[in-house]
Amino acid sequence: MSNQLRLHRTISFLSDYGLVDEFVGVVHSVIRSIAPHAAVVDITHGIPCHDVRSGALCLARSAQYLCPGVVLAVVDPGVGTERRAIAVEVGEGQSFLVGPDNGLLAPAVSMVGGADRAVSLTNAEYQLAAPGPTFAGRDVFAPAAAHLASGVDLYELGEAVDPMSLLPGVLPVPSALDDGLAAEVLWVDTYGNVQLNVGPDDLEGWGDRVGLRWGDNRRTARRVDTYELLNGGDIGLVVDSYGLESVVVPRGSAASMLGLAAGDEVHLVRYDDDAPSPGITTPVELQRRR
């Protein structure tokens, strides 16, 4: 059970709100009006609109590095519907996650060891009066996060629910092929590095070269430890800061060069050490000289 008097001094905030409208600033102000002691850390507000999967992946990548406290995550295409608004306790009260029950929170909850308790946010005493149902980030989630940060017990915020009933996040796993693995692009970062759902253990014993196939494209990647070990024109596979294989190019965008985006399927092909490099083949038609 959590310590009911525990204050939390950090609220980590993720959303698909962007920074053009006032949404992020309003949520900050609502939190400050309830929990002025708490610092709000903006994880990102650049999640593509309505993209729950991208938000869940971002939150899962971030979870182990966030300060203990309250995590407020809002990517909520079902706002105003019967989808549940939830708060989840993890780490025996060290942290809480607040957001919609649409799969957004589940991967992060799993990353930090699973849920201890969970509630549906049904107690209107801990919410703002809403002129309409479409800004739950302001009216429901931000107040819940701020009250939790102020030491309000989780069960005060609404009805207890079985943590096992929370909607799971669906994250892809690589599958075996006759000559390698079928992978998926999880994320393209701001540098254009292309993160795959493949870890270095999946490529154990594969050697220094890996074939890449997507659509009608065929390329060869070199497995290297750092970007600077690649030469101009090379394509590399580097284990990124989250421990997954990323397709990269030296000082450029692999996503732009190769035309890859989140959700694309990429096949990784294993080569024998003595096999010739497949490279790129361009057909040439030779004509007899007259």
Side-chain angles (χ1 to χ4, degrees):
M1 297 292 289
S2 65
N3 184 341
Q4 295 184 14
L5 301 178
R6 178 181 292 168
L7 295 180
H8 297 280
R9 299 191 178 279
T10 303
I11 298 176
S12 302
F13 182 21
L14 172 149
S15 78
D16 62 348
Y17 288 158
L19 297 175
V20 174
D21 299 301
E22 71 275 14
F23 305 141
V24 170
V26 167
V27 169
H28 273 257
S29 288
V30 169
I31 291 170
R32 185 166 180 79
S33 69
I34 298 168
H37 68 282
V40 179
V41 174
D42 293 298
I43 303 170
T44 182
H45 301 293
I47 301 299
C49 294
H50 316 302
D51 193 341
V52 174
R53 180 178 178 275
S54 290
L57 285 167
C58 180
L59 195 60
R61 290 193 301 268
S62 307
Q64 62 185 312
Y65 301 104
L66 299 178
C67 290
V70 183
V71 175
L72 169 60
V74 188
V75 182
D76 194 15
V79 64
T81 69
E82 293 183 357
R83 68 94 186 90
R84 290 187 299 191
I86 56 171
V88 181
E89 179 190 81
V90 297
E92 298 183 342
Q94 289 189 53
S95 295
F96 298 89
L97 293 91
V98 177
D101 184 20
N102 60 5
L104 177 65
L105 305 183
V109 170
S110 178
M111 283 287 294
V112 296
D116 299 324
R117 301 187 293 165
V119 299
S120 177
L121 300 174
T122 55
N123 189 346
E125 292 183 11
Y126 292 97
Q127 300 173 14
L128 300 186
T134 62
F135 198 176
R138 176 194 65 194
D139 302 329
V140 178
F141 298 127
H147 284 299
L148 287 169
S150 299
V152 172
D153 184 67
L154 181 69
Y155 286 154
E156 293 294 318
L157 301 183
E159 301 169 0
V161 299
D162 183 353
M164 297 300 294
S165 73
L166 303 181
L167 190 68
V170 179
L171 301 182
V173 295
S175 57
L177 301 171
D178 290 341
D179 55 355
L181 292 173
E184 184 174 322
V185 177
L186 294 179
W187 177 44
V188 174
D189 70 16
T190 192
Y191 296 100
N193 301 318
V194 178
Q195 185 186 68
L196 304 176
N197 62 331
V198 173
D201 291 346
D202 296 315
L203 303 182
E204 185 175 356
W206 275 46
D208 295 333
R209 292 181 298 112
V210 175
L212 304 178
R213 298 195 308 236
W214 69 103
D216 296 328
N217 302 286
R218 305 288 186 273
R219 299 295 294 267
T220 301
R222 292 176 51 209
R223 297 179 68 192
V224 294
D225 293 331
T226 66
Y227 307 113
E228 288 299 303
L229 293 176
L230 296 170
N231 300 315
D234 282 348
I235 297 170
L237 273 179
V238 172
V239 178
D240 67 17
S241 59
Y242 295 102
L244 294 174
E245 298 283 352
S246 285
V247 182
V248 304
V249 297
R251 304 196 182 190
S253 169
S256 297
M257 177 182 292
L258 304 177
L260 289 169
D264 286 349
E265 183 172 301
V266 178
H267 291 182
L268 305 184
V269 181
R270 180 171 182 164
Y271 294 136
D272 294 331
D273 289 342
D274 57 352
S277 174
I280 304 173
T281 302
T282 303
V284 178
E285 181 179 350
L286 299 179
Q287 295 181 344
R288 184 183 300 275
R289 180 179 297 174
R290 298 188 179 185

